[in-house]
């Protein structure tokens, strides 16, 4: 359509200031000085090492997303809702990182960073004049689809193979989950995909076998089971409430 930068000029100047302030506020809140020790499930040394390593990597993703948000071309079709979703996801990723106690939580950070990155990337792609768009004059969707990371393990990356039907061991109902290419190939070959495991009641189990009231990730399948973004439930306090049940 006729959507475009023309009508958005009014908030071209103040929005970057607002974004800068919001990112800054989240950053300051996330670094209050001394971090209080969270009670932890007993881990083996190897699990502890994997957690520390992945936590450090997850912590690096946050400022990367903050920078992307601060530099985003906001005066674009769909710019404002996209920016809100990105900021929501950024805040939620910070909350989850601060309260992270296992790999499932860190996978949540990865999923939320993807959720925040997608609307910014979409805005950037929309800003770039492409030959295809000039030829076809396709309108840019104002609400790009929330990207899903692989249901079985968000560390696998985005669910590029799309949705597949899958039955959880010992359950009757068939679920629709979004998966990466590797997990799709495993399912096609009737092998069990490499699921993200967590320690629950002393045993390593796939994260989705934890009772949903004790894990936002089991409850949502990182977005696969709810079909919606993860930031709103985290920002409503669902992540903290579930962690308190563990
Ligand atoms: Zn996968």
């Amino acid at each position: 359509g006729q959507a475009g930068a023309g009508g958005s000029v009014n908030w071209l100047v103040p929005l970057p200031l607002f974004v800068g302030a919001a990112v800054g506020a989240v950053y300051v809140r996330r670094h209050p000085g001394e971090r209080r020790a969270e009670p932890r499930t007993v881990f083996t040394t190897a699990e502890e090492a994997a957690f520390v390593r992945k936590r450090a990597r997850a912590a690096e993703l946050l400022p990367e997303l903050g920078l992307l948000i601060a530099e985003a071309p906001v005066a674009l079709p769909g710019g404002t809702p996209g920016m809100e979703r990105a900021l929501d996801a950024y805040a939620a990723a910070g909350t989850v990182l601060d309260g992270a106690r296992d790999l499932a939580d860190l996978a949540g950070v990865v999923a939320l960073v993807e959720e925040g990155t997608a609307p910014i990337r979409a805005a950037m792609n929309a800003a770039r004049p492409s030959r295809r768009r000039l030829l076809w004059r396709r309108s840019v969707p104002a609400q790009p689809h929330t990207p899903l990371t692989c249901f079985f393990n968000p560390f696998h990356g985005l669910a590029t193979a799309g949705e597949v039907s899958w039955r959880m061991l010992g359950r009757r109902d068939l679920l629709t989950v979004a998966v990466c290419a590797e997990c799709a190939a495993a399912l096609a070959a009737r092998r069990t995909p490499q699921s993200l495991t967590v320690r629950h009641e002393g045993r390593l189990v796939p994260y989705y076998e934890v009772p949903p009231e004790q894990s936002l990730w089991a409850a949502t399948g990182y977005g696969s089971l709810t079909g919606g973004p993860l930031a709103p439930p985290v920002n409503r306090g669902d992540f903290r409430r579930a962690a308190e049940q563990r």
Side-chain angles (χ1 to χ4, degrees), residues 149-159 178-184 193-194:
T149 45
C150 179
F151 165 80
F152 290 100
N153 186 344
F155 289 114
H156 292 175
L158 291 175
V179 296
C180 73
E182 218 168 293
C183 288
Q194 293 289 315

Side-chain angles (χ1 to χ4, degrees), residues 198-219:
V198 292
R199 211 160 264 284
H200 177 66
E201 293 174 349
R203 290 187 311 126
L204 274 180
V205 297
Y207 80 88
Y208 45 77
E209 290 185 5
V210 175
E213 60 275 12
Q214 293 178 33
S215 164
L216 180 61
W217 318 122

